[in-house]
Amino acid sequence: ENEISRPKGYTVSWHHNPAVENHHFGQTHPMKPWRLTLTKSLVLSYGMHTAMDTYISRPASRDEIAEFHKDEYVEFLNVVTPQNIYEMYPELATGPQGYTSSIFGVGEDCPIFDGLYDFCSNYAGASIDAARKLVNHQSDIAINWSGGLHHAKKAEASGFCYVNDIVLAILQLLRYHPRVLYIDIDVHHGDGVEQAFWSTDRVMCVSFHKYDKEVFFPGTGPLDSTGPLHPDNPGKNYTINVPLNDGIDDEGYAYLFQNVIEPTIKVYRPTAIVLQCGADSLGHDRLGCFNLNIRGHGNCVSFVKSFHIPMLVVGGGGYTPRNVARAWAHETSILIGADKTLNPALPEHMPYREAFRREGLTLFPNLSGWRKENMNTRADIERIIRHVREQLSYIRG
Ligand code: TV1
Ligand code: CA
Ligand code: ZN
């Protein structure tokens, strides 16, 4: 393939660690860290690494993880194994299907697997490294596709997430940056990040997600959940939630995204942005219910990039691995300014090329339609935009 040149006038760094890619949550578990291997295969085969500073990241230390997480929880993650979990917590061995009750949130969604701590410390280390590159002005855009695990709480694993690398990265950014904007396009609500920064005006959290209380995980994030209610609490109005119905398409999502993000940036004036690019908002996702195409998902990345604010880009969900890889490879190309130069036909010679055959050997298969009808009306979308504009009017003054 043809050589891709470095972007003019800004620096992009790519942080990754092969140690994250080979862990297994379990045979039938939807989270497949192997999707990162597929992503890397596309990034390297297109030659995009030549346009970035690439770093093999180091694992986060226990102290670094403990900047957000409770010591006892970090200790638990550090020592627990599939072999000793029932000795440590006999009460977990309740049924034939294994543990059901929640000790630090572990269970079906968040199993204890071999190398769990290695997995967590490595994806978290990459996000922390990426944040520090931005703080040091060594990068303008820093990418960690293995991060974005937005559900993890202070002392609780949740929704496939154990350590909240986003919170840890934002804590690094806050050492230098007065205001950080967090944007989350994963199909699930970014509840862990929202909760961590609920009571501060130094981080503004915006999540777009499928919302159906009691039915769709995690069941939080309605439109009127905008921060603490008390007028004296600095976090009041510094959370924006965009709850959506099944089947939203590229056009509706782009319109909504731009009409929420543009006024938010104008009013809040963030000095750094963290963008979580969960790819389970794509059509054909195994767990998701939206109808976005690769280009529709990528448009969010292009739009945020167009504001020229230092940016940390992380991954997140995404359960049809070949489409996760397509999305994050395409988004890498957007971030280095090479999206117009890439050949949509996948490289002739690349590892795992066969994995992409299903929808055709292209970066941009048709992922919209047929499975989920679009249940978001024009009126729903306009109502959300009006609500956000009103909310932002309280911040202005
Ligand atoms: C083991 C084996 C676990 C098969 C989990 C789908 C599985 C799910 C599995 C699954 C599954 C969820 C819930 C129910 C909470 C539970 C990375 C008690 C086929 C960021 C996390 C979704 C999304 C959790 C993570 C959700 C992210 N959906 N098969 N589990 N209740 N959990 O609904 O935002 O993408 O599905
Ligand atoms: Ca989201
Ligand atoms: Zn998700």
Side-chain angles (χ1 to χ4, degrees):
E1 300 297 311
N2 44 349
E3 180 97 351
I4 294 177
S5 51
R6 291 182 155 260
K8 303 256 178 302
Y10 67 100
T11 302
V12 180
S13 59
W14 175 40
H15 303 260
H16 75 113
N17 191 327
V20 183
E21 298 163 23
N22 294 319
H23 289 97
H24 297 276
F25 280 60
Q27 275 292 301
T28 60
H29 198 288
M31 177 57 99
K32 309 283 186 202
W34 177 71
R35 66 209 175 116
L36 298 164
T37 309
L38 276 188
T39 304
K40 189 170 67 182
S41 173
L42 285 177
V43 169
L44 297 179
S45 301
Y46 273 115
M48 292 192 268
H49 55 297
T50 61
M52 304 184 276
D53 290 341
T54 71
Y55 298 93
I56 303 289
S57 55
R58 41 153 212 103
S61 70
R62 275 178 68 159
D63 287 346
E64 285 173 324
I65 296 173
E67 289 205 17
F68 172 56
H69 293 283
K70 192 175 177 182
D71 288 323
E72 288 86 340
Y73 176 58
V74 184
E75 170 68 12
F76 169 79
L77 291 177
N78 195 247
V79 301
V80 72
T81 67
Q83 291 74 37
N84 69 19
I85 174 91
Y86 296 111
E87 290 166 43
M88 286 170 70
Y89 299 100
E91 64 271 34
L92 283 176
T94 47
Q97 311 98 300
Y99 38 76
T100 49
S101 98
S102 58
I103 301 288
F104 295 125
V106 306
E108 293 267 290
D109 276 354
C110 302
I112 302 301
F113 54 83
D114 282 316
L116 174 64
Y117 190 79
D118 184 57
F119 173 75
C120 296
S121 54
N122 276 299
Y123 75 70
S127 288
I128 294 170
D129 276 359
R132 289 193 181 140
K133 286 285 161 203
L134 297 177
V135 166
N136 298 340
H137 303 286
Q138 287 172 5
S139 308
D140 300 291
I141 297 174
I143 306 171
N144 171 24
W145 294 126
S146 71
L149 301 190
H150 57 178
H151 298 303
K153 310 294 178 344
K154 197 179 189 54
E156 192 189 334
S158 172
F160 320 161
C161 307
Y162 304 82
V163 166
N164 200 316
D165 63 290
I166 303 168
V167 172
L168 296 174
I170 291 174
L171 290 174
Q172 292 297 321
L173 295 174
L174 288 175
R175 293 179 170 195
Y176 175 85
H177 287 278
R179 292 175 306 281
V180 177
L181 174 63
Y182 173 65
I183 304 171
D184 183 319
I185 63 170
D186 190 290
V187 76
H188 299 97
H189 178 225
D191 60 345
V193 184
E194 175 184 286
Q195 194 182 94
F197 300 113
W198 185 249
S199 293
T200 179
D201 53 8
R202 290 191 59 203
V203 181
M204 177 117 159
C205 290
V206 185
S207 176
F208 298 77
H209 46 268
K210 155 81 175 176
Y211 176 70
D212 191 347
K213 199 169 173 252
E214 260 112 68
V215 176
F216 195 79
F217 185 87
T220 48
L223 190 57
D224 61 3
S225 177
T226 58
L229 294 176
H230 195 92
D232 295 344
N233 192 307
K236 186 178 164 66
N237 291 315
Y238 287 84
T239 293
I240 292 177
N241 276 303
V242 180
L244 298 165
N245 299 321
D246 284 355
I248 193 163
D249 59 15
D250 294 334
E251 194 202 354
Y253 202 91
Y255 180 76
L256 185 59
F257 188 83
Q258 295 176 16
N259 279 283
V260 168
I261 296 304
E262 183 168 55
T264 299
I265 292 178
K266 290 241 164 80
V267 169
Y268 187 59
R269 295 179 298 111
T271 57
I273 298 179
V274 178
L275 178 59
Q276 195 266 21
C277 298
D280 47 8
S281 41
L282 293 170
H284 292 210
D285 187 79
R286 187 176 154 197
L287 298 189
C289 53
F290 290 171
N291 273 327
L292 300 187
N293 282 290
I294 307 290
R295 282 198 180 88
H297 200 267
N299 279 340
C300 301
V301 177
S302 304
F303 190 70
V304 175
K305 185 192 174 215
S306 73
F307 291 91
H308 303 289
I309 295 169
M311 191 174 163
L312 170 59
V313 181
V314 294
Y319 305 100
T320 302
R322 56 192 182 276
N323 291 331
V324 177
R326 285 179 169 109
W328 293 348
H330 173 54
E331 287 160 13
T332 304
S333 79
I334 290 169
L335 293 167
I336 60 177
D339 49 313
K340 303 290 191 291
T341 26
L342 285 201
N343 185 349
L346 299 186
E348 290 282 348
H349 301 287
M350 60 169 284
Y352 311 106
R353 194 163 186 267
E354 287 310 303
F356 297 94
R357 208 169 271 283
R358 184 85 60 94
E359 295 91 354
L361 295 170
T362 167
L363 260 190
F364 306 109
N366 178 16
L367 303 179
S368 56
W370 69 271
R371 199 163 66 175
K372 293 282 182 188
E373 199 186 331
N374 188 356
M375 302 304 281
N376 302 274
T377 64
R378 192 69 194 219
D380 294 334
I381 290 175
E382 294 296 349
R383 188 171 66 94
I384 292 168
I385 293 170
R386 276 200 308 277
H387 188 281
V388 169
R389 284 187 188 278
E390 184 182 335
Q391 189 185 332
L392 290 171
S393 74
Y394 300 121
I395 289 178
R396 223 170 246 131

